[in-house]
Amino acid sequence: MVLGLLAGGPAGARSLADTPQGGAAEYRTAPEAKSVRGGSSRTEGPPLVPGGTYTDRIGKGEKKFYRVRLDDSSDAYVSTVLAPPPHSGIDFSDGIRISLQSKDGANCSPSNDVTFSGGSARPIGDHVSRLIGTGRECQGAGDYVYTVEWVGPGPGPGAGGPAAEGWPIELRVAAEPGLKPGAAAPSAPSTWSTQMPRRPSAGAEAVQGGTGFNDAATVDSGAWRDELVPGESRFYRVPVTWGQQLFVDAEFAGTKGSRAALVGGGMRVALFNTARGFVRSAEANYTGKPTAIAFGTAPAAYGNRSGAVDPAVGAMRFAGWYYVRVSLDDTVQGPVPVTLHLTVAGDPQPGPDYDGDPRASGLGAPSDGRAADGTAGSPLLMRTLAVAGIGTGTALLLFLAAWTALARRRGGRRVRAGGPPCRP
């Protein structure tokens, strides 16, 4: 299978040797990330710029301030990932509150609480935004105040919570260009399929997920086989372009040996967009028997950002990489094999007429889901063919076969949007 050439993810992704024997690997921050120290008041704090990635630490009771430099034309997204070491002690409501305000204290968007909501320690994250538009706050260029605040009581004494130096956080600023003068914003879809595709009959290909967003394994439509140890989270990134939906079906195998104890919410799957914004998640109890977690998304559409009642629909506002996080509770008897069935469905649609390149600050994906000549295509497939160095005729045959197989998987009944998502 050609896609296997890129299954290990981008350069710098962890190898098997990076994982402690029998243990879960810690979140790997971006190699280019700059270490900063958040300020203690609104008038202090290091500058964060679009396209930049930064690292800091936060502990129980702390509140940190940063200055975000924005222009007056781009939609901006500022995200934070809280990444406690595996097996750290957590409370149900532990996490962080993130917010973005103007210098005079106006909220650019509602503050956002990002909490564990049960389960064991795992990387969690989300973003807040500054959107350009008539009647909105925070429209000018200049420095804005971004805050990351600890929320929740923290684990009890001896529970292995954050030490005095706190837990690692990774901050990222992304700027999405505005539309060209006179360009109309694409509308949001009103209907789409919620029917889960059939699992393909072909066997799954082995892949090793990354520790987080930076070393996530690159995958596409198909079946992918991995294995998680207790307390581990693994990440995979999938290219989704305008007009396409992503269906995620994670099949957890049963475990051998003695009868397993029930673990509530022992298996979790979450999805994040290219700006590291939370899309939706689902969980299942662990019983030692085979279990599946499955869900689908709305089509990726620029218009989803305007008036979407369901947050999971509003989060599907970009084309680009979407990140699947699969987590296993640290009390589960493991290791547990997982097969990830992924389907990117729907015909690619024209995107917005941007007045700039959103990839300049990390949004989107290579070719933004299109081939070099602007025609619709899978960026992962196109790049893989190039890496493989195969002949033109063979490349064409492989491309047509893959495209035909994907088209056959599309379809399903057309219905209105589904219910609200779970939190991470």
Side-chain angles (χ1 to χ4, degrees):
M1 186 172 179
V2 177
L3 296 181
L5 292 171
L6 290 182
R14 66 174 181 158
S15 66
L16 287 170
D18 297 323
T19 305
Q21 185 68 31
E26 294 188 18
Y27 183 92
R28 175 170 290 177
T29 55
E32 74 280 6
K34 179 181 178 181
S35 178
V36 296
R37 180 173 295 180
S40 57
S41 71
R42 292 179 56 85
T43 59
E44 300 176 348
L48 312 180
V49 299
T53 305
Y54 308 85
T55 60
D56 200 352
R57 304 182 75 90
I58 192 168
K60 182 178 178 180
E62 286 191 307
K63 184 174 184 178
K64 299 202 168 188
F65 296 82
Y66 309 86
R67 291 179 292 124
V68 181
R69 294 176 178 172
L70 303 178
D71 62 22
D72 60 359
S73 61
S74 302
D75 289 344
Y77 297 87
V78 190
S79 66
T80 297
V81 177
L82 175 64
H87 307 293
S88 297
I90 62 169
D91 185 84
F92 182 92
S93 57
D94 279 344
I96 52 175
R97 175 174 298 142
I98 55 177
S99 63
L100 183 65
Q101 296 180 329
S102 64
K103 276 190 172 182
D104 59 7
N107 290 315
C108 302
S109 62
S111 62
N112 188 357
D113 283 11
V114 186
T115 61
F116 294 104
S117 300
S120 55
R122 60 195 181 278
I124 57 175
D126 206 347
H127 62 53
V128 288
S129 61
R130 189 286 303 267
L131 303 182
I132 296 296
T134 303
R136 295 183 180 274
E137 299 282 359
C138 306
Q139 299 298 290
D143 282 356
Y144 288 80
V145 180
Y146 181 65
T147 60
V148 182
E149 178 182 7
W150 179 274
V151 294
E165 69 272 16
W167 281 338
I169 55 175
E170 184 174 61
L171 306 95
R172 186 166 171 263
V173 183
E176 182 185 29
L179 303 182
K180 291 180 179 178
S187 59
S190 58
T191 61
W192 54 85
S193 174
T194 60
Q195 181 175 327
M196 291 297 299
R198 291 183 179 180
R199 292 174 179 170
S201 57
E205 181 166 350
V207 65
Q208 186 177 19
T211 65
F213 294 98
N214 304 297
D215 60 352
T218 302
V219 293
D220 206 340
S221 290
W224 306 89
R225 185 179 70 255
D226 205 345
E227 186 175 83
L228 277 68
V229 298
E232 187 168 35
S233 291
R234 293 200 176 180
F235 284 70
Y236 315 84
R237 64 177 189 171
V238 190
V240 179
T241 195
W242 302 111
Q244 293 185 320
Q245 298 176 253
L246 175 61
F247 292 92
V248 180
D249 181 357
E251 183 182 9
F252 295 81
T255 55
K256 299 178 181 179
S258 60
R259 184 177 179 180
L262 171 68
V263 179
M267 300 166 288
R268 294 172 182 261
V269 180
L271 180 67
F272 303 84
N273 63 31
T274 188
R276 301 187 176 184
F278 172 72
V279 179
R280 65 176 303 171
S281 67
E283 63 184 67
N285 295 335
Y286 170 81
T287 62
K289 298 179 180 180
T291 306
I293 297 175
F295 57 77
T297 72
Y302 187 88
N304 286 341
R305 68 195 61 205
S306 303
V309 176
D310 185 349
V313 176
M316 295 296 297
R317 64 181 61 190
F318 304 105
W321 296 118
Y322 278 76
Y323 297 86
V324 180
R325 186 201 69 203
V326 180
S327 302
L328 195 65
D329 193 273
D330 57 16
T331 60
V332 165
Q333 295 182 10
V336 176
V338 178
T339 301
L340 199 59
H341 302 275
L342 300 173
T343 303
V344 180
D347 295 322
Q349 301 297 319
D353 194 4
Y354 282 126
D355 191 16
D357 187 353
R359 292 170 294 178
S361 67
L363 297 177
S367 298
D368 221 17
R370 293 183 175 274
D373 61 359
T375 57
S378 164
L380 181 62
L381 178 61
M382 301 303 289
R383 289 184 294 112
T384 304
L385 295 179
V387 171
I390 58 182
T392 303
T394 305
L396 179 60
L397 290 174
L398 284 172
F399 174 76
L400 291 175
W403 189 258
T404 301
L406 177 61
R408 288 174 177 172
R409 287 199 296 268
R410 293 172 180 151
R413 56 191 179 94
R414 309 293 291 179
V415 298
R416 294 197 176 274
C422 301
R423 288 300 295 167

